[in-house]
């Protein structure tokens, strides 16, 4: 369909997303003495998102009549839909989904740094604490309607039932304590030890709790029906250790180990009950708590100077996530439903290499990354369209993900080239070449789908930029992305479509389809930048 109708086409209309962002960040520091410095950061971030999306209604009973070839039943069902029938969820072939979210986050970090010798050795010790607060309000609803010839949805004014709508308010509060110490064991060896303690509380509140429907009845009448209201607490100490060896001024060898963690999101916590599977994104249920994801990383590398103007670096790493979170099929689900669960381990390992230099007025940098991202635990995922799916004991179509299968959406090879040229001391031009190899599409987590859409093809794009310094803090800049207007896709999903290749409604019959996210076409920007304030003040070390 994309090839037939062009890359400006759209699957269903309308498809609108409106984002508004306000962000304020303040940093400050003060030297109490030559070797003691206090620094702090305060931030505020407010974001609002509204979406209006037209979709096919794949739960419609009218499909049975269409497939049975009963034209009279089809026309009668669509007429009832247009008239606003109370059974629009079964009679309409289209739906308009609306979401509204408001997200606010704010917080601060304080720290003290001490540049003082310890046990007769050079030492730097830093300690501090921080607090982060986040609040999310999310609403979602559906209006039913009819598909027209241009794949637009004409709404009939009938909304989905109250118990199928979502009104979630989530609050996240995180307190953090951290400390790090770097000691020079000798002129050649430097040891770093650090630790960070996080305590996160996530409070979910269901917007429909204690509310009444149009008939004056409680929205939740079954005591066994859990709501989204719940409190969850997560805490952990994440340690890190690193060792640097600098045998010469042109060579550094280093190794490190660190741990990190993240608490489950409000959405993940809102759909984690095996007894109440949900169909994301428009049905949440109350849930038992999930474990936080813990990442353990080993890293080693070398960096140095080949000459005074040429630098190089090489590093290798291995990160293993435990209790990683995945949306999986449920033993009690209808087809396509499931829940979030801690499925086990995933691993990302690879290497990064770079080379950069300056020759007179010409600067360059080249980088390569190998990212081997794989699942390390076996589990099943609900999937109706993967050619390798099988029917489990509950009658659901699932795919079996095995240890070693690659994680979708992550190209294995990445290449970047940056060049700059100073035409004058005030005028610089530059370019970026970015290339990515192919990646497995989502829905092909088992890497076994045999057919269109198994992978998203690799691509390379060229960007250009220039900047001119006027003086007294003023700069003019311009940039152009994808200057050759390369057509590429940066994401893909195995799914289903109600339409034929030329965009016509397929008589209510959903067929397997490869859905893609087209990459951005050629685009350009011009702008002005002004930097104010004097040079950063530092303590006099003499």
């Amino acid at each position: 369909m994309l090839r037939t109708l062009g890359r400006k086409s759209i699957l269903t209309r309308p498809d609108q997303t409106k984002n508004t962002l306000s962000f304020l960040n303040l940093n400050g520091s003060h030297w109490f003495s030559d070797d003691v410095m206090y620094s702090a950061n305060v931030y505020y971030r407010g974001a609002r998102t509204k979406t209006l999306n037209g979709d096919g209604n794949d739960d419609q009973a009218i499909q049975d009549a269409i497939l049975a070839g009963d034209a009279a039943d089809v026309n009668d069902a669509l007429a009832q839909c247009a008239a606003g029938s109370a059974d629009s969820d079964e009679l309409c072939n289209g739906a308009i989904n609306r979401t509204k979210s408001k997200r606010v986050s704010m917080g601060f970090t304080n720290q003290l740094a001490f540049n003082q010798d310890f046990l007769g050795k050079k030492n730097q010790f830093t300690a501090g604490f921080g607090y982060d607060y986040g609040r999310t309000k999310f609403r979602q609803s559906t209006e039913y309607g009819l598909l027209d010839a241009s794949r637009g949805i004409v709404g009939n004014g009938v909304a989905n039932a109250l118990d199928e709508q979502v009104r979630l308010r989530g609050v996240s509060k995180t307190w953090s304590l951290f400390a790090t110490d770097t000691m020079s064991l000798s002129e050649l060896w430097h040891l770093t030890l650090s630790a960070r303690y996080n305590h996160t509380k996530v409070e979910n509140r269901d917007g429909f709790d204690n509310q009444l429907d149009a008939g004056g009845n409680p929205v939740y009448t079954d005591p066994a029906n859990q709501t989204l209201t719940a409190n969850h607490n997560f805490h952990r100490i994440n340690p890190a250790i690193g060792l640097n060896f600098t045998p010469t001024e042109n060579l550094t060898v280093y190794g490190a180990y660190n741990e990190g963690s993240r608490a489950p999101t409000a959405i993940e916590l809102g759909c984690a009950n095996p007894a109440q599977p949900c169909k994301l994104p428009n049905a949440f249920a109350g849930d038992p708590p999930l474990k936080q994801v813990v990442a353990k990383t080993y890293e080693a590398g070398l960096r140095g100077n080949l000459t005074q103007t040429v630098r190089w670096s090489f590093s290798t790493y291995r990160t293993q996530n435990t209790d990683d979170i995945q949306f999986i099929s449920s033993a009690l689900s209808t087809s396509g439903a499931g829940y979030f669960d801690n499925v086990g381990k995933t691993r990302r390992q690879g290497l990064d290499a770079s080379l950069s230099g300056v020759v007179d007025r010409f600067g360059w940098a080249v980088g390569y990354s190998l990212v081997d991202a794989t699942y390390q635990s076996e589990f099943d995922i609900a999937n109706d369209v993967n050619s390798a799916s099988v029917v489990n004991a509950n009658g659901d179509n699932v795919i079996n993900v095995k240890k070693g299968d690659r994680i979708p959406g992550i190209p294995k090879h990445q290449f970047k080239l940056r060049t700059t040229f100073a035409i004058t001391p005030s005028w610089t031009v530059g370019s970026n070449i970015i290339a990515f190899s192919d990646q497995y599409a989502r829905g092909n987590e088992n890497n076994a789908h045999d057919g269109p859409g198994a992978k998203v093809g690799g691509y390379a794009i060229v960007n250009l930029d220039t900047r001119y310094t006027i003086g007294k803090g003023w700069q003019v800049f311009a940039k152009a992305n994808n200057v050759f207007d390369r057509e590429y896709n940066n994401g893909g999903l195995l799914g289903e479509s109600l339409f034929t290749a030329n965009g016509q409604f397929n008589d209510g019959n959903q067929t397997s389809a490869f859905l893609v996210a087209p990459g951005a076409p050629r685009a350009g920007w011009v702008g002005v930048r002004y930097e104010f304030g004097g040079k950063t003040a530092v303590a006099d070390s003499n």
Side-chain angles (χ1 to χ4, degrees), residues 330-353:
S330 169
L332 302 178
S333 73
T334 57
S335 181
Y339 60 97
F340 283 105
D341 196 10
N342 297 106
V343 298
K345 299 177 181 179
T346 62
R347 186 174 68 197
R348 292 159 181 81
Q349 60 184 6
L351 59 87
D352 295 299

Side-chain angles (χ1 to χ4, degrees), residues 207-254:
F208 283 122
D209 281 355
N210 302 320
Q211 294 195 22
L212 305 179
D213 62 18
N217 301 309
V219 174
Y220 296 111
T221 57
D222 184 356
N225 185 15
Q226 293 175 296
T227 72
L228 299 178
T229 298
N231 294 332
H232 307 271
N233 290 277
F234 307 91
H235 56 89
R236 193 174 194 275
I237 297 177
N238 293 314
I241 181 172
L243 186 63
N244 280 22
F245 175 57
T246 53
T248 71
E249 63 179 7
N250 292 319
L251 177 64
T252 298
V253 183
Y254 64 92

Side-chain angles (χ1 to χ4, degrees), residues 259-311:
E259 297 183 6
S261 60
R262 77 165 180 89
T265 67
I267 290 180
E268 291 167 340
L269 290 169
C271 180
N273 192 346
Q276 292 181 286
C278 60
K279 251 187 177 180
L280 292 182
N282 52 351
F284 289 5
D287 318 289
L290 295 170
K291 298 177 182 178
Q292 59 184 329
V293 182
V294 176
K296 299 181 179 181
T297 300
Y298 297 87
E299 181 180 7
L302 306 93
R303 58 176 177 263
N305 301 324
L306 290 178
T307 67
Q308 289 185 342
T309 60
V310 178
R311 293 184 56 82

Side-chain angles (χ1 to χ4, degrees), residues 305-312 355-360 362-364:
N305 301 324
L306 290 178
T307 67
Q308 289 185 342
T309 60
V310 178
R311 293 184 56 82
W312 63 275
L355 191 65
S356 62
V358 177
V359 180
D360 196 16
F362 178 72
W364 56 275

Side-chain angles (χ1 to χ4, degrees), residues 405-522:
D405 288 340
R406 283 176 54 190
I407 300 174
I410 304 177
K412 190 171 185 178
H413 304 282
Q414 304 175 17
F415 174 82
K416 297 180 181 180
L417 173 64
R418 169 69 174 168
T419 59
T420 60
F421 182 74
I423 298 177
T424 70
S426 300
W427 185 16
T428 302
V429 295
S431 69
N432 290 307
I433 298 177
I434 305 173
F436 297 92
S437 63
D438 59 16
Q439 57 183 276
Y440 281 101
R442 299 194 181 278
N444 193 20
E445 285 82 0
N446 60 343
N447 302 172
H449 176 67
D450 184 14
K455 289 184 176 181
V456 181
Y459 62 91
I461 59 174
V462 178
N463 306 320
L464 299 177
D465 62 87
T466 184
R467 70 177 184 271
Y468 183 81
T469 301
I470 301 174
K472 296 183 178 180
W474 288 95
Q475 236 182 43
V476 179
F477 66 89
K479 62 179 179 179
N481 287 353
N482 193 8
V483 293
F484 297 111
D485 207 20
R486 170 73 184 275
E487 294 185 352
Y488 66 96
N489 303 315
N490 53 24
L493 169 72
L494 294 177
E496 294 179 315
S497 174
L498 289 168
F499 307 99
T500 62
N502 62 2
Q504 300 300 309
F505 185 61
N506 194 21
D507 293 332
N509 185 25
Q510 288 201 113
T511 57
S512 297
F514 180 37
L515 311 178
V516 296
R522 182 190 296 119

Side-chain angles (χ1 to χ4, degrees), residues 26-208:
L26 178 65
N27 294 295
S29 62
H30 176 72
W31 289 92
F32 289 107
S33 64
D34 291 345
D35 50 21
V36 178
M37 186 182 73
Y38 169 79
S39 57
N41 166 265
V42 180
Y43 72 92
Y44 170 87
R45 182 185 180 95
R48 297 189 180 194
T49 299
K50 292 182 179 180
T51 67
L52 176 63
N53 293 295
D55 294 298
N57 180 18
D58 57 2
D59 292 328
Q60 51 171 325
I62 190 177
Q63 288 189 25
D64 295 334
I66 293 176
L67 297 177
D70 195 330
D73 285 350
V74 171
N75 293 332
D76 180 62
L78 295 180
Q80 291 185 58
C81 169
S85 168
D87 296 324
S88 291
D89 58 332
E90 297 182 354
L91 300 175
C92 296
N93 57 9
I96 300 176
N97 294 307
R98 293 178 172 88
T99 70
K100 181 188 295 185
S101 66
K102 181 180 180 181
R103 304 174 303 281
V104 173
S105 59
M106 61 188 75
F108 64 86
T109 300
N110 300 262
Q111 70 177 40
L112 277 171
F114 301 88
N115 248 340
Q116 300 168 334
D117 289 355
F118 180 70
L119 298 179
K121 301 182 182 298
K122 291 183 178 180
N123 190 76
Q124 184 182 72
F125 175 75
T126 302
F129 68 94
Y131 175 74
D132 297 281
Y133 171 89
R135 183 177 71 246
T136 298
K137 291 183 179 180
F138 178 83
R139 291 188 177 189
Q140 179 167 296
S141 63
T142 297
E143 177 188 355
Y144 298 103
L146 298 173
L147 276 163
D148 62 22
S150 64
R151 301 183 307 284
I153 311 297
V154 181
N156 68 354
V158 178
N160 58 338
L162 283 175
D163 59 0
E164 295 176 0
Q165 299 182 37
V166 177
R167 290 188 183 180
L168 174 66
R169 183 181 187 273
V171 173
S172 175
K173 304 173 184 177
T174 300
W175 282 100
S176 302
L177 294 172
F178 57 89
T180 180
D181 186 85
T182 299
M183 177 180 287
S184 297
L185 303 177
S186 68
E187 293 295 328
L188 304 181
W189 294 92
H190 312 277
L191 175 66
T192 298
L193 298 172
S194 63
R196 183 183 184 96
Y197 171 78
N198 292 330
H199 183 278
T200 299
K201 183 175 183 179
V202 181
E203 301 171 341
N204 279 354
R205 295 295 179 264
D206 197 317
F208 283 122

